[in-house]
Structures are given as structure tokens and as C-alpha cells.
Amino acid sequence: MINVAILGFGVVGSGAAQVLADNAAVIEKNLGKKVAVKRILDLREFPDSPFGHLVTHDFNDILNDKDITVVAEMMGGSHPAYDFTKACLTAGKHVVTSNKEVVARFGAELLDLAAKNGVRYLFEASVGGGIPVIRPMVNDLASNKIEKVDGILNGTTNYILTQMIAGATFEDALKEAQAKGYAEANPAADVEGLDAARKIVILAALSFGTLLSPDQIHCEGITKLTLADVEVAKAFGCSLKLIGHTEQVAGRVLAMVSPRMVPLTNPLSGIADVFNGILVDANMVGEVMFYGAGAGKLPTASAVVADIIDIVAHMGQDGVRAPKFTVAAEQDYADFGAYTCRSCFSFWQEDGAAEKITAVFGDVKTVTVGNRIALIADAMTEKEAAEKAAKTGLTLLSRIRVLG
Ligand code: HSE
């Protein structure tokens, strides 16, 4: 019997207990061992839960219990989640987590600490909810050099954008996402892009070995998008998505989050509702895409339990593959001003606007949607894009980057 402790009995934590109980037979069959929850740490009581009797309010009940070998941290937030993780790894307990905030901020240190203590720190559920993406990147793409990653990494914003395109208001769609357990405790982290920023820095670290700070990368959410932007995207044969992107620019790592127009020929364009998709471009295999439920209780919990199973399956074995991250120094960050991509510019429609656009952007296709005239320009740097928009002398209503 393998005894597991759960830190945080919220949406994902209670889901993990449910997955372990409901799928106990299949887990035992796949693993040849029973895995059960022994203790649960939470500030609250859960008198109506079948796991309520396992709840403790004292972390030491878990830390000092020698029978607990794997701890699943699903508390959310940096503290005390990070502190408890450190204590568990130092005490020789394996840790698995869904907590992208902790992995994005402290992943380098925690992976190092785990290695020093002969245990493992796994975080499959931290990116893409239930989608297997971390393990395939660490193991199955190990023969490849990763060129770039593009991903729809936040279920809440993808749900909101999908609902808005179907006619819902932003506020109603957000309320639904919260009711379904997709959104963060503070949904600003979803809609302002920070949740996706945390996830793209984790994917960047897996791709290039360097862990950037989510606070130091370019990050735009969906709050400024309007239905007019959606209409312009449609007119150009694109959908509108919040995309996390990472690549190397001149040997440095670039990671960013922003809305993008995604051409309908790109497989990310059709990903709707809470689903996420991660498109990895690697030098030998080419493009591979990982797709599935990006948030939600049982999908995310199933990824947490998959990490527990991985740990139990490899217990006592030497040389199990683990990623190693280096904390980024100032010079490891790519210059965002030099990042190059295509952009869709929407200007206020006025007499002579089409001529002014041609004078600056050349002979480009324009579309008129309501009070705006829009074009897609060839790839240019961020700096050039700002300069060209100003040079038209027109009122810029929005500039949305185009994927690919
Ligand atoms: N709030 C996150 C999302 C949860 O909507 O994607 C999963 O990380």
C-alpha cells in the first residue's frame, strides 16, 4: 500500500481523492499496488465528504508521518505551498503538484532539491489541466530540439472567448467559467493572462532549460478584445485565441502571452470551450499537438494522479529522467522589441484611410467591419509595428498579432 497525502482539498484536491477512490481498481491493475489517501491538509472541515475524517489542520501530521511517501500539493498560491513542498522534499517525500504558480516561480530550486534528496517533483497538471504534455515533452521528445511552442493554455479565457463569439457577454461567460470550477480564485489571473504566462514559462523551461520569471515576460490578456476584433478575425479567415508562445531569438529565450488571430488552417484555431491545445514544433518530428480538457476538477486531478502513479512505478529505481531548469539571468531574456510576427491592424475608418494604409503598408488586402478598416501586414518587429501604425496618421483601434 502506498500512502498519499493531499495538501489543499479544493476543486483539484477533492478531485484527486475522488480519482484515487473511483479508479482504485484500474490504478491497482495498472500499477500492481494499492494507492490510498492517508491524510488531507486543509483549513476547513468537510463533514459531508467521504474523506472528511482524513482532514488535519496541522501540516506536521503529514510531514512527520513516515508512512506517507508521496504528497500531492494542490493548494494554489505561492505560500505556504512552496514552503510545504520544500519541507516534504527535504524530508525525502516525493511531491506532485498542479500548482503552476509554484512551478513557474520556484521550479528550478524544487527540481534541484528533489534531485539532492533522491526524490521526484512532478507537475503534469500544472500545464494544460488533464492533457499529458509535460511527460511527453520530457520523455518522448527527448530526441528532438524544440524550435517553438504555441498553446491555448488557459481554459477560462478560451471558454469566455467561445461563449462571446456565440453571443454571450464577457461577464456572464466568466461567471459560468467560475461556476464550473475553471477559473482561478482571483479570475484576473486568467483574463489578464498571468495564468497562461506561468504555463508558457514552464513550457519554455522544458524546451530550452531556462526558467524565466512570469512577471518579466510580455503578457496581455483578453480584457481589451471586442466583438469587432472577432468580426475582423472572421473576415480574414481566422479565429481569435489567447496564445502562449515561446521560441529562441538570437540564442535567448522569448516567452509571451497575447491574443492572436489564428488562421483556420492552424489546428489551434478550432479549439473551443475549456479545451487547451499545445502545438510543439520540434526539429526532427515536426509539429505535434497535445489537446484536451485544460481545466476542471476530474481532468486536472487525473493528471495529478498520473504523476503519483509514475512515482510509485519508478520507486527505488536510479536514473529516472527529470528535467533540470536554470533560473534565467537578465541576459537570458530575448529582446521583445526584436520579436517578429505578422499583425492585424484595425484603424478608424475615415475618408482616404485606404490610401493612407497603402502608402505605409503597400498593396495589402483591407476589410471594412463597422467603423473600422483592417489589414494584415507582413512580419515585422514590435518596434516597426508601432512606428508604421503611427506613420499612417490614422486612429489605431487595435493591433492583434497573427499566428504563423
Ligand atoms: N484557471 C485555469 C484555467 C485552471 O482556466 O486554465 C487550470 O490551470
Side-chain angles (χ1 to χ4, degrees):
M1 165 76 83
I2 302 294
N3 289 303
V4 172
I6 285 176
L7 307 184
F9 203 58
V11 174
V12 183
S14 59
Q18 188 180 333
V19 171
L20 282 167
D22 290 1
N23 275 358
V26 74
I27 291 168
E28 187 178 350
K29 181 169 162 275
N30 287 340
L31 198 54
K33 282 187 186 118
K34 282 188 200 299
V35 181
V37 180
K38 187 171 181 202
R39 296 312 291 264
I40 294 167
L41 181 75
D42 204 288
L43 293 170
R44 301 160 290 181
E45 297 289 347
F46 297 89
D48 300 330
S49 163
F51 305 98
H53 62 289
L54 302 177
V55 171
T56 174
H57 308 306
D58 184 356
F59 172 61
N60 288 313
D61 286 344
I62 290 167
L63 188 65
N64 297 330
D65 188 334
K66 295 271 177 284
D67 290 340
I68 293 173
T69 45
V70 185
V71 176
E73 185 273 298
M74 292 162 282
M75 306 180 79
S78 284
H79 300 285
Y82 158 74
D83 314 85
F84 289 172
T85 300
K86 255 174 89 165
C88 290
L89 294 172
T90 306
K93 297 183 191 301
H94 303 275
V95 177
V96 303
T97 189
S98 59
N99 191 332
K100 52 259 163 152
E101 189 171 333
V102 169
V103 181
R105 290 188 196 286
F106 306 107
E109 176 193 347
L110 294 172
L111 281 166
D112 205 35
L113 187 62
K116 285 195 175 107
N117 285 282
V119 288
R120 296 175 72 201
Y121 180 56
L122 299 186
F123 42 88
E124 181 62 67
S126 67
V127 179
I131 306 172
V133 58
I134 307 278
R135 206 175 335 276
M137 283 188 74
V138 172
N139 295 321
D140 305 313
L141 294 179
S143 60
N144 282 265
K145 177 176 177 291
I146 307 294
E147 306 284 6
K148 63 175 177 168
V149 180
D150 285 294
I152 295 171
L153 301 173
N154 182 269
T156 301
T157 46
N158 207 45
Y159 184 83
I160 292 172
L161 287 174
T162 308
Q163 296 299 312
M164 280 175 71
I165 290 166
T169 64
F170 179 91
E171 288 73 22
D172 285 348
L174 174 57
K175 270 191 207 132
E176 277 177 42
Q178 286 175 299
K180 287 172 188 277
Y182 302 156
E184 297 300 294
N186 177 0
D190 295 297
V191 297
E192 300 293 354
L194 179 57
D195 179 73
R198 290 170 181 147
K199 292 165 178 168
I200 198 66
V201 303
I202 296 170
L203 294 177
L206 288 164
S207 302
F208 309 119
T210 306
L211 186 64
L212 308 179
S213 163
D215 300 326
Q216 287 189 50
I217 67 167
H218 180 85
C219 178
E220 280 171 62
I222 62 165
T223 51
K224 294 196 182 84
L225 293 180
T226 63
L227 283 176
D229 291 316
V230 173
E231 290 307 318
V232 168
K234 274 188 193 162
F236 279 112
C238 295
S239 63
L240 200 50
K241 299 288 177 194
L242 185 68
I243 299 286
H245 171 82
T246 185
E247 65 177 65
Q248 282 182 301
V249 178
R252 298 176 177 203
V253 184
L254 179 121
M256 61 183 286
V257 173
S258 73
R260 297 249 186 178
M261 280 174 38
V262 183
L264 297 182
T265 47
N266 185 302
L268 292 174
S269 68
I271 293 178
D273 292 317
V274 72
F275 289 93
N276 284 188
I278 297 116
L279 191 58
V280 180
D281 188 359
N283 71 336
M284 293 294 149
V285 69
E287 282 188 343
V288 283
M289 189 160 101
F290 303 94
Y291 167 80
K297 178 173 173 163
L298 294 177
T300 310
S302 84
V304 172
V305 174
D307 277 348
I308 295 173
I309 291 171
D310 185 337
I311 283 172
V312 177
H314 293 96
M315 265 176 181
Q317 291 178 15
D318 289 333
V320 181
R321 290 182 52 74
K324 198 167 163 44
F325 298 167
T326 307
V327 177
E330 209 50 50
Q331 66 270 16
D332 295 322
Y333 288 82
D335 170 16
F336 184 62
Y339 172 64
T340 302
C341 69
R342 291 191 297 152
S343 297
C344 176
F345 296 86
S346 288
F347 294 104
W348 184 263
Q349 173 65 293
E350 60 178 45
D351 285 347
E355 290 72 24
K356 288 178 180 172
I357 286 171
T358 308
V360 174
F361 292 99
D363 192 15
V364 287
K365 174 186 165 186
T366 57
V367 299
T368 305
V369 174
N371 62 3
R372 45 176 76 195
I373 179 164
L375 69 127
I376 293 182
D378 287 342
M380 60 185 76
T381 64
E382 292 291 314
K383 196 164 163 275
E384 285 163 350
E387 285 167 2
K388 288 219 174 191
K391 209 169 159 194
T392 60
L394 297 168
T395 305
L396 182 66
L397 297 176
S398 75
R399 174 191 159 227
I400 299 182
R401 297 174 188 85
V402 179
L403 193 64

